[in-house]
Amino acid sequence: HVPAKYLPRPVWVIGLMGFVAVAVASAYFGRRGIPPVPMHIASGAVGPSLLPDGRLTMHVSKLHESLIQEMHALTDVLIPGGHGNTLHHVWRHEGLAVQQGPVTPSGEPPPGTVRLRSTLRSFNIPSQRAGHWSIDVLTEDDQLVGRVPFEVIE
């Protein structure tokens, strides 16, 4: 709060405008560092194949590398404010991004959630398949919503 007698002075007006500009810029650029608290993964799973209705044939946390031709991920994300957010999956192998891109809502998710599905195609799977894998669900501002880990063994 600035007393009215200081407002006619140009220094105070410029200072006030500068403060407002810094506050707005900090809020805009600082949003990348603030996690999307209300959103989280209600359930997430990975599997080697899909049923005709879009569900996974099996949910795995560990599988042998010989079973991998392509991989599918399903994540149910709880979004309390509605479905207005653009989310995407990032497939990671040993922490390095292998594939990323927007996902399509699919299936019949539980109430209050949106179900996202993505597929890791065979041409994106590295020759050394064994190791720790994860699917990260990110917002369009690259904020991490959640992670679904799994392991591929030799």
Side-chain angles (χ1 to χ4, degrees):
H1 178 58
V2 177
K5 67 180 182 177
Y6 292 126
L7 289 179
R9 296 182 184 169
V11 168
W12 288 101
V13 172
I14 292 171
L16 180 62
M17 289 176 27
F19 173 76
V20 169
V22 169
V24 169
S26 297
Y28 180 78
F29 293 110
R31 66 191 168 124
R32 285 183 174 251
I34 301 169
V37 175
M39 284 194 289
H40 67 275
I41 296 178
S43 69
V46 179
S49 59
L50 292 172
L51 294 170
D53 65 359
R55 293 179 297 143
L56 293 170
T57 55
M58 63 181 89
H59 297 202
V60 297
S61 59
K62 188 181 284 192
L63 74 158
H64 192 268
E65 65 183 349
S66 65
L67 297 175
I68 301 177
Q69 310 314 320
E70 64 181 17
M71 293 295 293
H72 304 275
L74 288 179
T75 53
D76 292 338
V77 179
L78 180 66
I79 304 177
H83 299 159
N85 297 299
T86 302
L87 302 172
H88 61 275
H89 281 168
V90 177
W91 290 78
R92 296 186 187 276
H93 178 241
E94 299 296 342
L96 300 174
V98 174
Q99 175 180 303
Q100 61 185 1
V103 293
T104 54
S106 67
E108 294 289 327
T113 65
V114 61
R115 178 166 289 162
L116 307 172
R117 183 181 82 201
S118 68
T119 301
L120 179 64
R121 302 286 179 198
S122 59
F123 53 83
N124 285 336
I125 298 174
S127 58
Q128 292 292 67
R129 298 173 180 181
H132 297 285
W133 287 77
S134 67
I135 294 95
D136 293 348
V137 179
L138 301 176
T139 66
E140 59 190 337
D141 293 327
D142 291 330
Q143 294 176 323
L144 180 65
V145 174
R147 179 171 287 147
V148 178
F150 66 101
E151 188 174 354
V152 176
I153 58 173
E154 293 182 14

